[in-house]
Amino acid sequence: MTPPPPRKPLIAGNWKLNKTIKEAIELVTLLKRLITDFQNVDVVVCPPFTALSDVSELLMESEIQLGAQDLYWEEKGAFTGEVSGALIKDAGAAFVIVGHSERRQFFHETHDTVQKKTKAALKNGLIPIVCIGETLKEREASKTFEVLEAQIKGAFTGFNKEEIQQITVAYEPVWAIGTGKVATPAQAEEAHAFVRGRMQKAFGEETAAALRILYGGSVKPDNTADLMREPDIDGALVGGASLEPNSFAEIVKNAGVAALR
Ligand code: PEP
């Protein structure tokens, strides 16, 4: 069996509910100037829906790619306020974040909705970045693996190998998101290795070996390299630091250097 190609790290910026269209254009204009080396790292920015189209135009000639932060699973119809995969694709995005812990916590997303959204993303040719991760309470109760297992099962039941080959997973311990409390490289690696192991069991060795698993939770320029050097960490989903152009560019640079491990 030929070994799968090495996993190229991906750094994705989740802007959350931040940036007007004008501010988004300013930020991306700076990022285009600051990030120029894509040899060892892929880069995605995920602005709010309202800025997708303008940012897409700005990224026409750039290797920085575009993602949305969520989608709805229906294609069209009477679903006031929702945005489908087709509309996101039409706005120029190639990626979409699915099942972020803030969506699970504040908008009552369940295993079932995460699964439907992941399917809908694939159906529309979008790469879903599917988020999983335990809360502090769950970690302290030694339930991390149990929670991850349930989230993996919930998100990917009914998927085949070919579909899994199109997705990216983000392990984001909820206690590390926006708190400044980053998981240690060893803690993150332990979780990533567990996730890869479960994916291997469900979808086979080759699929699991090629799967990109990002870490998310207070990633900053000074902790990026240590995290990225871990064998099962293939990039990062970055919240707060992705709003600051120099920080995001530094994270991208440090991830690219660490990829040469
Ligand atoms: C996130 O929103 O996915 C995230 C990881 O946020 P932060 O980097 O701010 O912790």
Side-chain angles (χ1 to χ4, degrees):
M1 195 174 69
T2 47
R7 300 180 297 266
K8 188 177 181 185
L10 168 69
I11 302 296
N14 174 14
W15 296 5
K16 311 192 187 192
L17 208 175
N18 294 291
K19 303 293 177 190
T20 61
I21 294 173
K22 184 170 171 279
E23 289 165 347
I25 289 171
E26 282 165 7
L27 176 51
V28 170
T29 303
L30 283 170
L31 291 178
K32 279 171 69 177
R33 225 174 279 154
L34 291 167
I35 305 172
T36 52
D37 186 355
F38 298 88
Q39 192 159 348
N40 300 309
V41 61
D42 288 333
V43 181
V44 178
V45 291
C46 303
F49 288 133
T50 47
L52 280 178
S53 189
D54 289 87
V55 170
S56 166
E57 215 163 287
L58 202 55
L59 292 178
M60 270 327 172
E61 306 283 295
S62 169
E63 285 187 61
I64 299 175
Q65 301 178 80
L66 184 64
Q69 298 174 21
D70 185 29
L71 80 165
Y72 191 55
W73 56 84
E74 294 288 351
E75 282 298 303
K76 56 166 76 171
F79 303 103
T80 302
E82 293 297 336
V83 179
S84 70
L87 294 185
I88 288 168
K89 186 89 179 167
D90 184 49
F95 289 77
V96 61
I97 299 169
V98 177
H100 191 280
S101 65
E102 287 153 15
R103 303 258 1 136
R104 295 181 193 252
Q105 189 183 348
F106 303 131
F107 303 98
H108 314 296
E109 296 236 354
T110 62
H111 295 325
D112 186 47
T113 64
V114 171
Q115 197 260 9
K116 283 181 175 156
K117 289 183 175 194
T118 306
K119 275 262 180 216
L122 292 176
K123 193 171 164 214
N124 285 287
L126 295 164
I127 299 174
I129 300 175
V130 182
C131 301
I132 57 176
E134 82 287 0
T135 61
L136 184 60
K137 203 166 156 209
E138 289 161 344
R139 174 162 282 264
E140 286 176 347
S142 302
K143 289 192 167 155
T144 298
F145 294 157
E146 199 181 305
V147 169
L148 294 178
E149 170 119 42
Q151 289 172 331
I152 290 168
K153 240 187 176 167
F156 303 129
T157 293
F159 282 68
N160 59 39
K161 274 187 197 181
E162 289 67 36
E163 289 172 315
I164 296 298
Q165 282 158 12
Q166 314 297 317
I167 68 149
T168 293
V169 171
Y171 166 64
E172 300 206 297
V174 180
W175 48 271
I177 296 178
T179 58
K181 213 189 268 180
V182 65
T184 65
Q187 280 174 323
E189 171 58 23
E190 186 187 37
H192 281 231
F194 175 82
V195 173
R196 199 177 303 286
R198 301 321 286 177
M199 294 303 274
Q200 180 179 332
K201 242 186 166 176
F203 301 103
E205 194 170 344
E206 214 174 329
T207 304
L211 178 72
R212 278 206 281 213
I213 307 175
L214 315 183
Y215 167 79
S218 297
V219 171
K220 301 281 181 290
D222 62 357
N223 58 31
T224 303
D226 284 345
L227 286 160
M228 298 306 131
R229 274 192 213 103
E230 294 293 337
D232 288 294
I233 301 181
D234 311 312
L237 183 54
V238 185
S242 72
L243 297 171
E244 208 288 299
N246 289 309
S247 293
F248 191 64
E250 193 76 3
I251 288 169
V252 169
K253 191 176 110 204
N254 294 348
V257 171
L260 302 171
R261 66 192 175 214

